């Protein structure tokens, strides 16, 4: 009688996996360093998953060998735990088994966590109890239920759910800055100090851009619907007697389609002027221009003098990736559906224009096409200000004309403004809080740097839209967007001279 009571007391304790191995094999050590609550929840969930996985695996293997492909499911009610059938099942496996308790409708998280740390011990006493219980098993009623062996499918579904949760919480954390972590990528060269000197010279009336080049400005996404995109920069260059063009591409098209159009633009400019072309691409325009040079370099190497990528997501954009990636923000607030309607139905664009800026697509493209080492490249990255004062900033995106009743009287115009600064601040704060990354609102600073390029890291706080849409109240003591573009191209010319000199010395 005493021996049965001991058996019932021992079998009433839950059989759990070793806690030390659970701690040493955490599936998710850290998910979000900036959100401790999510870290704790994810770590606790991963521990539970690891435990259940071990329980199913340890339980299904011996059961299937002894019962011809069937496993044994044991009910965890108090009456069943005291029955001889339960004791025989608990002692017959010869390994650590896990027992679930469906009779308890709810279990507090701390109590469940304490139960996870208990281990099965005293195997010798269990083997002694097995001999006693075997006699009772022949005459008693059995509470064992046989079922088909479906635990591997259940485990895979549960692990898939946990992996989906992990991807949702981590988002683009593993992708940001992937180019800088790649071992085969060449390092960058910081020339910010020289850029500051050139800006100061330009503001004092010293301009060094040569007239022997043609300057091609490549706009970014939605530029077809922004009539002032790069207009001030082109006007400023024309006043200095420089030949400047704005590439009229369909900005909402795919990167490879725009790369072909830019190639045609460069060849048309070169054969018409016999001058080499310097390109400056902003945002997606920089990605399109880089794609044209990497895909068609054999046709363009004698026609191009260099490339500036200004605030371009060369490595990818976390904002775009989080909108389009499964399990992210786009799944829960219908942002993906909204973007599809806007791009495909409203402005008649291609959704691939956004997809080409995700980390997955950028990795795929850069694995096939590389920028030539002999090409002078300059990367310009900025950080948006997240101060509350920026929320009131308005950007001038277009001009509207008032109707006039006289032919001799010119039409009056007034600026069309949008709170682009507030949008950029919101996105920059999101990236800072979630990933701890500095950005211009759409592109992180690390993803804007092209490996092997000369880098300019602006000390001035500038958001992603400032380069092409001037603010309604610009600071007259600071350089405007056209002066920044001039300084970047001037520095690119210097980098090109130095690179050609280095290549000539190597040939000698």
């Amino acid at each position: 009688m005493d021996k049965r009571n001991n058996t019932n007391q021992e079998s009433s304790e839950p059989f759990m996996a070793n806690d030390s191995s659970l701690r040493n094999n955490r599936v998710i050590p850290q998910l979000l360093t900036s959100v401790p609550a999510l870290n704790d929840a994810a770590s606790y969930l991963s521990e539970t998953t690891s435990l259940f996985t071990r329980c199913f695996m340890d339980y299904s293997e011996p059961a299937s060998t002894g019962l011809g492909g069937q496993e044994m499911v044991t009910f965890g009610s108090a009456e069943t735990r005291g029955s001889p059938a339960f004791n025989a099942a608990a002692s017959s496996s010869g390994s650590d088994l896990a027992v679930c308790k469906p009779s308890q409708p709810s279990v507090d998280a701390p109590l469940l966590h304490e139960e996870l740390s208990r281990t099965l011990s005293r195997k010798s006493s269990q083997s002694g109890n097995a001999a006693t219980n075997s006699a009772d098993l022949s005459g008693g009623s059995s509470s064992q239920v046989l079922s088909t062996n479906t635990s591997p499918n259940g485990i895979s579904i549960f692990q898939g759910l946990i992996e989906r949760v992990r991807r949702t919480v981590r988002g683009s954390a593993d992708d940001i800055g992937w180019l800088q972590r790649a071992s085969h990528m060449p390092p960058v060269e910081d020339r910010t100090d020289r850029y500051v000197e050139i800006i100061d010279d330009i503001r004092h009336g010293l301009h060094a851009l040569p007239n022997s080049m043609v300057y091609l400005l490549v706009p970014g996404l939605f530029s077809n619907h922004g009539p002032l995109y790069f207009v001030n920069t082109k006007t400023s260059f024309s006043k200095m007697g420089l030949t400047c063009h704005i590439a009229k591409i369909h900005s909402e098209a795919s990167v490879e389609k725009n790369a072909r159009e830019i190639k045609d633009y460069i060849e048309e400019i070169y054969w018409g002027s016999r001058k080499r072309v310097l390109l400056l691409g902003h945002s997606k325009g920089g990605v399109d221009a880089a794609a044209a040079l990497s895909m068609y370099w054999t046709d363009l190497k004698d026609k191009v003098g260099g490339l500036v990528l200004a605030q371009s997501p060369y490595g990818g954009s976390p904002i775009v990736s989080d909108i389009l990636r499964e399990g992210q923000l786009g799944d829960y607030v219908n942002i993906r559906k909204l973007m599809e309607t806007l791009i495909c139905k409203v402005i008649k664009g291609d959704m691939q224009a956004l997809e080409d800026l995700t980390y997955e697509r950028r990795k795929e493209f850069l694995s096939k096409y590389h920028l030539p080492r002999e090409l002078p490249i300059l990367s310009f990255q900025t950080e948006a200000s997240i101060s509350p004062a920026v929320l009131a900033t308005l950007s001038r995106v277009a001009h509207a004309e008032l109707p006039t009743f006289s032919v001799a009287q010119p039409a009056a115009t007034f600026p069309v403004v949008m709170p682009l600064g507030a949008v950029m601040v919101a996105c920059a704060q999101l990236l800072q809080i979630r990933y701890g990354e500095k950005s211009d609102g759409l592109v992180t600073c690390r993803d804007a740097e092209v490996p092997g390029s000369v880098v300019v890291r602006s000390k001035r706080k500038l958001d992603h839209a400032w380069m092409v849409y001037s603010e309604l109240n610009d600071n007259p003591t600071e350089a405007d967007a056209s002066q920044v573009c001039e300084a970047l191209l001037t520095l690119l010319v210097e980098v090109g001279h130095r690179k050609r000199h280095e290549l000539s010395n190597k040939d000698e």
Side-chain angles (χ1 to χ4, degrees):
M1 189 70 180
D2 294 339
K3 194 173 293 186
R4 288 191 180 183
N5 292 336
N6 293 335
T7 303
N8 295 337
Q9 183 177 0
E10 291 178 1
S11 60
S12 64
E13 297 181 359
F15 301 143
M16 295 298 171
N18 195 321
D19 185 60
S20 62
S21 63
L22 191 60
R23 288 193 302 267
N24 295 331
N25 293 287
R26 293 194 178 195
V27 178
I28 312 171
Q30 276 295 345
L31 294 182
L32 280 177
T33 56
S34 58
V35 188
L38 288 177
N39 274 333
D40 297 340
S43 298
Y44 176 74
L45 190 59
S46 66
E47 290 178 357
T48 308
T49 308
S50 178
L51 171 72
F52 286 159
T53 301
R54 290 197 180 98
C55 292
F56 283 125
M57 294 302 294
D58 291 343
Y59 190 40
S60 59
E61 290 178 0
S64 60
T65 56
L67 295 173
Q70 293 179 322
E71 67 170 306
M72 187 173 297
V73 179
T74 308
F75 293 108
S77 60
E79 294 79 9
T80 308
R81 286 197 305 267
S83 66
F86 176 85
N87 295 326
S91 59
S92 60
S93 63
S95 60
D96 296 344
L97 305 180
V99 178
C100 300
K101 297 183 178 182
S103 61
Q104 297 179 358
S106 63
V107 182
D108 294 336
L111 295 177
L112 180 59
H113 194 65
E114 291 178 2
E115 289 183 354
L116 291 176
S117 63
R118 297 183 184 178
T119 59
L120 181 61
S121 62
R122 297 187 297 274
K123 292 184 178 180
S124 59
S125 61
Q126 289 182 12
S127 60
N129 293 334
T132 305
N133 296 329
S134 59
D136 298 335
L137 182 62
S138 58
S141 61
S142 174
S143 61
Q144 299 169 350
V145 179
L146 298 181
S147 65
T148 59
N149 188 4
T150 59
S151 60
N153 292 334
I155 294 171
S156 62
I157 293 174
F158 196 66
Q159 288 178 332
L161 175 62
I162 296 303
E163 180 63 21
R164 182 185 177 96
V165 172
R166 189 192 71 85
R167 289 197 305 266
T168 300
V169 176
R170 287 197 66 82
S172 300
D174 297 331
D175 297 320
I176 296 176
W178 68 273
L179 279 172
Q180 297 179 345
R181 295 190 298 268
S183 58
H184 62 282
M185 293 295 180
V188 298
E189 179 186 358
D190 190 354
R191 296 294 302 276
T192 305
D193 294 338
R194 178 55 186 155
Y195 161 79
V196 174
E197 294 175 359
I198 297 174
I199 280 284
D200 188 63
D201 291 340
I202 292 174
R203 291 187 56 79
H204 286 84
L206 300 177
H207 305 281
L209 275 182
N211 194 23
S212 58
M213 299 275 192
V214 176
Y215 303 94
L216 179 61
L217 307 177
V218 185
L221 205 61
F222 306 126
S223 61
N224 299 105
H225 309 277
L228 296 184
Y229 208 116
F230 274 142
V231 169
N232 291 340
T233 301
K234 180 182 178 181
T235 303
S236 176
F237 280 31
S238 299
K239 290 179 179 179
M240 292 186 293
L242 302 174
T243 305
C244 182
H245 300 279
I246 300 177
K248 300 299 182 182
I249 60 175
H250 189 23
S251 60
E252 291 79 40
S254 65
V255 169
E256 295 189 4
K257 182 178 183 298
N258 283 344
R260 178 69 187 184
E261 293 186 6
I262 293 172
K263 171 187 176 290
D264 295 340
Y265 250 104
I266 295 172
E267 291 181 332
E268 182 180 352
I269 291 173
Y270 178 79
W271 293 119
S273 63
R274 289 294 176 174
K275 295 180 180 180
R276 289 195 301 162
V277 180
L278 284 183
L279 293 92
L280 188 151
H282 174 256
S283 188
K284 182 178 180 289
V287 176
D288 293 339
L293 298 181
S294 59
M295 295 173 66
Y296 306 107
W297 180 242
T298 55
D299 299 327
L300 301 176
K301 61 181 179 180
D302 296 327
K303 306 176 181 68
V304 175
L307 169 65
V308 175
L309 294 95
Q311 300 174 316
S312 297
Y314 188 75
S317 171
I319 295 293
V320 176
S321 297
D322 288 350
I323 289 176
L324 299 183
R325 181 182 285 127
E326 182 183 358
Q328 291 299 308
L329 191 62
D331 282 343
Y332 304 108
V333 292
N334 290 330
I335 294 182
R336 186 186 298 114
K337 187 66 175 179
L338 177 64
M339 295 301 294
E340 290 179 0
T341 303
L342 175 64
I343 293 177
C344 301
K345 302 292 182 62
V346 178
I347 61 180
K348 305 302 180 182
D350 188 353
M351 195 63 186
Q352 191 174 344
L354 272 185
E355 294 173 354
D356 286 343
L357 301 181
T358 62
Y359 288 110
E360 182 180 0
R361 288 294 182 88
R362 292 305 298 158
K363 291 177 182 179
E364 179 183 348
F365 182 88
L366 294 178
S367 65
K368 296 189 296 183
Y369 304 104
H370 305 279
L371 284 170
R373 294 294 180 91
E374 64 270 24
L375 175 68
I377 305 173
L378 191 146
S379 304
F380 181 64
Q381 52 110 314
T382 64
E383 177 187 353
S385 174
I386 57 176
S387 63
V390 185
L391 296 174
T393 302
L394 297 176
S395 300
R396 186 185 292 109
V397 298
H399 289 305
E401 293 185 358
L402 294 176
T404 180
F405 300 98
S406 174
V407 179
Q409 183 180 1
T413 63
F414 64 93
V416 177
V417 296
M418 292 182 62
L420 295 180
V423 177
M424 296 298 107
V425 168
C427 295
Q429 285 183 330
L430 172 64
L431 295 177
Q432 179 68 40
I433 293 173
R434 184 173 189 187
Y435 300 119
E437 292 288 337
K438 298 178 180 180
S439 69
D440 59 16
L442 297 180
V443 182
T444 64
C445 295
R446 292 198 288 165
D447 292 324
E449 296 184 359
V450 180
S453 67
V454 171
V455 175
V456 173
R457 301 180 174 111
S458 176
K459 299 177 182 178
R460 181 182 172 190
K461 301 290 186 179
L462 301 173
D463 62 45
H464 193 80
W466 180 89
M467 282 288 296
V468 290
Y469 295 123
S470 61
E471 296 176 357
L472 193 60
N473 297 316
D474 281 334
N475 187 355
T477 63
E478 298 283 357
D480 58 23
S482 61
Q483 292 173 334
V484 170
C485 292
E486 181 184 352
L488 293 174
L489 288 169
T490 302
L491 180 57
L492 179 65
V493 172
E494 295 181 0
V495 173
H497 288 323
R498 188 187 64 182
K499 180 160 287 191
R500 283 193 297 271
H501 181 69
E502 292 175 354
L503 292 176
S504 63
N505 290 338
K506 287 182 179 180
D507 294 338
E508 293 177 358

